[in-house]
Amino acid sequence: MVKNPVFLLFIFITSVSPISSYSKDQSKFILGEDNLGRWKNGMLSSSAASEAPGPANGPPDPLVLAGSRTKRPDILNHFKLYRGGWDITNKHYWASVGFTGAVEFILAILWFVCFGLAMIIHHCCRWRIDIKDKESRGSQRICLILLIVFTCASVIGCILLSVGQDEFHGEAVKTLNYVVNQSDYTVQTLANVTAYLSLAKTVNVAQVFLPSDVKDDIDRLTVELNNAADTLRQKTQQNSRKIRTVFDTVRLSMIAVAVVMLLDSFLGLFLSILGHKNTIYIFITSGWLLVVVTFILCGVFVIINHAIADTCMAMGQWVDNQQAETALSNILPCVDEVTTNATLYKSKLVVNDIANIINGFIGSFANSNAPPSGNSNYYNQSGPLMPYVCYPYDSQLHELECPSQLVSMANASMVWQNYTCSISESGFCTTTGRLTPDMYRQLVGAANISYGLQHYTPPLLSLQDCNFVRQTFRIIISDHCPPLEDHLRLVNAGLALVSVGVMLSLALWIIYANRPQGGQVFDKFSSKFIGRSKGDTAVDVALNNNEV
């Protein structure tokens, strides 16, 4: 039972969320145990106020997820109650979930055996059901009415099955697409961080670059983040294809069952009315086997329904108790403190380094009033002094408010544009201004890279402290779980109605097929039903001859 669509879907959720690992020996991106805390010795230290699900400071009391729902008989443990809660890594959990479909599986076995024995007894012992001739007219009407009613029930069941499976398939694909989009967002976040880190290496303002050791650190981080993003992207694509294949297969099987059952019910009805005794046995046999298939499918969907309900409840309890140790802690740890902290730490250093480069240029070149003779810093700059850029972080890398006399990285390009001059062919300013167009482009390029790092690096925090995963689960619980459960119940209702309708129709087909050769109990009524008046006379003559 482990390889059902719900299991694959949840494995996909946990593998493509921003918590996937790509190597046990390499840096396990977005995998770990503790959240960000204060900066200490160049790294973030954990705080008791923010912890990822899983053991942090000593083993906490484990939380049994969906414990009230999962207390079911465990087939693998002599039918004792399973009390381990939701845990897709535990075979006893799946054995207990599989037990929820036991009734339908038992019905399938009983139907297969009992109906098969009845058919064997009929053929070997010449067993048949006789209806007295005096009762033939009333009996044939009752049998035909019941046969029509049961056929209608089968048709309604096929309609419910078709509608239910279509709605279930659509909602399942919608849920899958949502998870894929969340994964794409994570990949894009990693790509943005690596892209801006790489661009930071190219910052060049008046031939001033980032320190070489910072560039080396950026190279190492870029490799790790690119590996994590590539692995996450590959897992997303692989799991998405597998799950779509599973759901498409389930959908096709449901459509095939609905169509075959519908045809079998209609053809069996009309063959019964028209009196084709030999041909109807083919449909009796096919209906017998189809009922077994529908009972089995009904059991499978009951199991899927319980698995979805368990998973949704487990997600909800984890969202409310994310600091507790749960079964999700084994497959859903949220952070890798080493990689994430290193990325955040280095990004903040790079942002401050870029601010140093920009302010150093402004102080040494743009705002300097150097004499024109023999000074490389002179390019005829003049006019009001241009403002410096503010540092986003202090020496301890805590966030700083930008003073009013300084400009932030976000609006630096607009402010500095007012300090740009026109230049001559020799590169000197010909109008009032502190920056040449080329200097302005270099400063704006550096400021944009710094702003990009400030903008795209903080989302890593949401990946590290599980906010991203928690929000994903909340949306799945509220928007996707209820429709999935409703559609599964509709599918089960359709399967049950089809099974019962065809099963009872088979009994009536057998009654007709075993009528005595001399007493065609349905012939007269059938002939009236199809409008053959001459057939009425033939049947009456045959009945009179039998009485004589």
Side-chain angles (χ1 to χ4, degrees):
M1 293 302 173
V2 175
K3 295 182 179 179
N4 61 54
V6 179
F7 172 76
L8 291 175
L9 178 60
F10 189 75
I11 287 297
F12 178 74
I13 292 173
T14 57
S15 62
V16 304
S17 297
I19 42 86
S20 298
S21 61
Y22 64 89
S23 172
K24 291 183 178 179
D25 299 325
Q26 284 185 304
S27 174
K28 298 176 289 183
F29 187 76
I30 315 301
L31 285 173
E33 297 174 350
D34 300 316
N35 280 344
L36 287 178
R38 302 181 193 175
W39 291 97
K40 183 179 180 181
N41 298 328
M43 297 294 287
L44 283 173
S45 60
S46 299
S47 65
S50 58
E51 297 178 357
N57 299 323
D61 295 333
L63 174 67
V64 178
L65 295 174
S68 60
R69 279 192 54 88
T70 55
K71 290 182 180 179
R72 311 183 184 102
D74 182 2
I75 301 174
L76 301 180
N77 193 23
H78 308 291
F79 294 93
K80 296 179 180 178
L81 281 181
Y82 172 74
R83 301 181 183 276
W86 182 92
D87 187 357
I88 61 173
T89 63
N90 191 337
K91 63 181 180 180
H92 293 283
Y93 166 73
W94 288 109
S96 67
V97 176
F99 184 80
T100 60
V103 174
E104 288 76 11
F105 296 147
I106 292 173
L107 287 176
I109 295 172
L110 290 177
W111 168 256
F112 181 81
V113 173
C114 294
F115 193 85
L117 289 176
M119 294 294 291
I120 293 174
I121 293 172
H122 162 65
H123 285 288
C124 295
C125 303
R126 300 298 179 181
W127 170 83
R128 64 187 182 187
I129 300 176
D130 291 334
I131 300 177
K132 300 294 184 179
D133 292 336
K134 295 180 180 179
E135 302 172 353
S136 61
R137 292 179 181 272
S139 298
Q140 66 178 344
R141 286 179 173 83
I142 293 174
C143 290
L144 186 58
I145 291 172
L146 290 177
L147 189 57
I148 293 174
V149 170
F150 296 151
T151 303
C152 291
S154 300
V155 172
I156 295 174
C158 291
I159 294 174
L160 292 178
L161 178 59
S162 300
V163 173
Q165 66 82 24
D166 185 67
E167 295 292 336
F168 174 76
H169 181 270
E171 188 63 34
V173 172
K174 183 180 177 181
T175 305
L176 178 62
N177 290 337
Y178 170 71
V179 176
V180 171
N181 290 337
Q182 295 296 87
S183 173
D184 291 341
Y185 168 79
T186 304
V187 172
Q188 190 60 46
T189 299
L190 300 179
N192 290 334
V193 173
T194 55
Y196 278 102
L197 282 174
S198 298
L199 285 174
K201 293 170 52 182
T202 66
V203 169
N204 174 18
V205 179
Q207 299 302 310
V208 179
F209 304 91
L210 289 177
S212 58
D213 59 331
V214 174
K215 290 183 178 181
D216 293 339
D217 291 339
I218 289 175
D219 288 335
R220 286 192 294 269
L221 281 176
T222 300
V223 171
E224 293 178 357
L225 295 177
N226 282 334
N227 287 339
D230 291 342
T231 303
L232 185 57
R233 186 183 297 107
Q234 292 174 2
K235 285 187 176 183
T236 301
Q237 295 174 352
Q238 293 173 0
N239 290 331
S240 177
R241 284 194 298 266
K242 291 178 181 178
I243 294 171
R244 289 181 191 275
T245 301
V246 170
F247 282 126
D248 289 342
T249 302
V250 170
R251 183 184 191 185
L252 291 176
S253 65
M254 291 294 99
I255 293 175
V257 168
V259 171
V260 173
M261 283 296 227
L262 192 62
L263 291 176
D264 193 73
S265 299
F266 273 122
L267 291 176
L269 173 64
F270 286 115
L271 289 174
S272 298
I273 294 174
L274 296 176
H276 294 279
K277 294 183 179 181
N278 295 328
T279 308
I280 202 172
Y281 278 104
I282 298 175
F283 291 93
I284 290 174
T285 304
S286 63
W288 167 46
L289 298 177
L290 284 172
V291 170
V292 175
V293 172
T294 54
F295 273 133
I296 293 175
L297 287 175
C298 190
V300 170
F301 274 90
V302 167
I303 293 172
I304 294 176
N305 193 11
H306 281 85
I308 287 180
D310 291 350
T311 303
C312 292
M313 179 177 284
M315 286 183 181
Q317 291 182 355
W318 179 84
V319 167
D320 296 332
N321 301 274
Q322 68 270 15
Q323 296 185 23
E325 182 182 6
T326 68
L328 284 172
S329 303
N330 297 324
I331 59 173
L332 192 58
C334 296
V335 298
D336 170 27
E337 193 174 19
V338 175
T339 303
T340 311
N341 284 355
T343 303
L344 293 170
Y345 174 71
K346 189 56 62 179
S347 296
K348 290 187 175 184
L349 283 181
V350 170
V351 168
N352 275 357
D353 286 341
I354 292 176
N356 278 332
I357 294 174
I358 293 174
N359 288 338
F361 172 81
I362 292 175
S364 301
F365 287 81
N367 286 345
S368 66
N369 295 313
S373 58
N375 196 319
S376 60
N377 295 351
Y378 175 78
Y379 48 90
N380 198 27
Q381 62 268 43
S382 61
L385 297 179
M386 62 181 294
Y388 291 90
V389 68
C390 61
Y391 287 90
Y393 311 104
D394 60 17
S395 59
Q396 299 300 317
L397 298 182
H398 297 138
E399 291 187 4
L400 289 176
E401 292 290 336
C402 189
S404 58
Q405 67 272 20
L406 303 179
V407 296
S408 65
M409 295 291 184
N411 62 357
S413 60
M414 298 179 60
V415 174
W416 290 339
Q417 192 173 15
N418 299 324
Y419 296 86
T420 305
C421 66
S422 300
I423 60 173
S424 62
E425 294 182 358
S426 59
F428 286 84
C429 288
T430 58
T431 61
T432 301
R434 291 286 175 176
L435 295 174
T436 65
D438 184 60
M439 293 175 180
Y440 173 76
R441 284 192 295 270
Q442 292 179 5
L443 287 178
V444 170
N448 287 341
I449 293 173
S450 177
Y451 176 76
L453 286 175
Q454 289 179 259
H455 180 73
Y456 287 110
T457 304
L460 292 178
L461 283 171
S462 67
L463 309 184
Q464 187 183 41
D465 61 13
C466 288
N467 285 334
F468 181 81
V469 180
R470 192 155 48 246
Q471 182 63 23
T472 300
F473 282 179
R474 283 197 184 102
I475 294 177
I476 291 175
I477 294 167
S478 61
D479 296 348
H480 300 284
C481 284
L484 283 173
E485 295 177 18
D486 292 339
H487 300 329
L488 280 174
R489 281 192 286 267
L490 187 60
V491 170
N492 286 332
L495 287 170
L497 198 55
V498 168
S499 302
V500 174
V502 174
M503 183 172 61
L504 296 176
S505 297
L506 288 178
L508 294 178
W509 295 348
I510 295 175
I511 292 175
Y512 170 72
N514 287 278
R515 285 291 299 156
Q517 294 296 323
Q520 304 288 341
V521 294
F522 285 164
D523 283 354
K524 183 178 179 179
F525 191 75
S526 298
S527 63
K528 289 181 179 180
F529 187 81
I530 62 177
R532 295 188 303 178
S533 59
K534 292 182 180 180
D536 295 346
T537 305
V539 172
D540 290 338
V541 171
L543 292 173
N544 292 333
N545 290 336
N546 288 335
E547 290 177 357
V548 174

